[in-house]
Amino acid sequence: MPALLDTRLPTPVPGDEHEQCPVTDVLRRIGDKWTVLVVVLLGQRPHRFNELHRGIEAISQRMLTRTLRGLEEDGLVHREVFATNPPSVEYSLTPLGRSLLKPLSVLAEWAVENQPAIAESRRVSNLLSGST
């Protein structure tokens, strides 16, 4: 059984305790719209900014910049500036960022394996609630 389930939580869980929880903090970062995709792409190899931007069709430059800055701030991504003219920047995963790939892979496998059951549950729920 996972250690997470061995943790005793107070009832009710205090809001400030939830906000300060390291799990909540990490899930906030990786649970945003773009982080997992950026981490997976950087897990394949280092990328320059424009490569990443072209590789993620719907992301704006602003959102990619914000995502990369957040990942860099958290120590998951390394930003290296090369002294070329004009300067070029390359992003890669740090060892900490690489260590995130394994749990993300497990979560991705779970999601793919259970997606049909989740989709069916949503369909039934929508039918019962009268939504289509």
Side-chain angles (χ1 to χ4, degrees):
M1 185 160 300
L4 179 67
L5 297 181
D6 294 337
T7 303
R8 285 271 184 222
L9 296 176
T11 305
V13 176
D16 63 332
E17 190 171 315
H18 175 65
E19 287 300 313
Q20 295 171 12
C21 175
V23 176
T24 300
D25 183 50
V26 169
L27 288 176
R28 223 180 251 120
R29 170 69 68 211
I30 66 168
D32 74 22
K33 187 173 181 176
W34 302 110
T35 294
V36 170
L37 189 51
V38 170
V39 167
V40 169
L41 286 172
L42 292 177
Q44 296 171 348
R45 65 176 175 79
H47 284 72
R48 291 175 50 184
F49 182 89
N50 285 331
E51 284 182 293
L52 284 170
H53 191 237
R54 285 190 302 270
I56 306 172
E57 187 175 286
I59 196 169
S60 68
Q61 275 192 310
R62 181 174 181 268
M63 277 313 297
L64 180 56
T65 298
R66 288 180 66 186
T67 301
L68 288 167
R69 282 186 185 152
L71 290 168
E72 187 179 5
E73 180 182 304
D74 288 352
L76 301 171
V77 165
H78 173 72
R79 179 181 186 265
E80 187 170 358
V81 180
F82 295 95
T84 57
N85 193 5
S88 62
V89 178
E90 186 175 83
Y91 296 90
S92 59
L93 291 182
T94 64
L96 183 61
R98 286 209 159 287
S99 74
L100 181 58
L101 293 171
K102 185 175 180 178
L104 284 179
S105 294
V106 171
L107 180 59
E109 288 172 19
W110 180 90
V112 169
E113 185 177 301
N114 291 286
Q115 193 278 329
I118 292 168
E120 177 61 15
S121 181
R122 288 176 181 166
R123 187 186 72 73
V124 169
S125 180
N126 286 336
L127 286 174
L128 293 174
S129 69
S131 305
T132 53

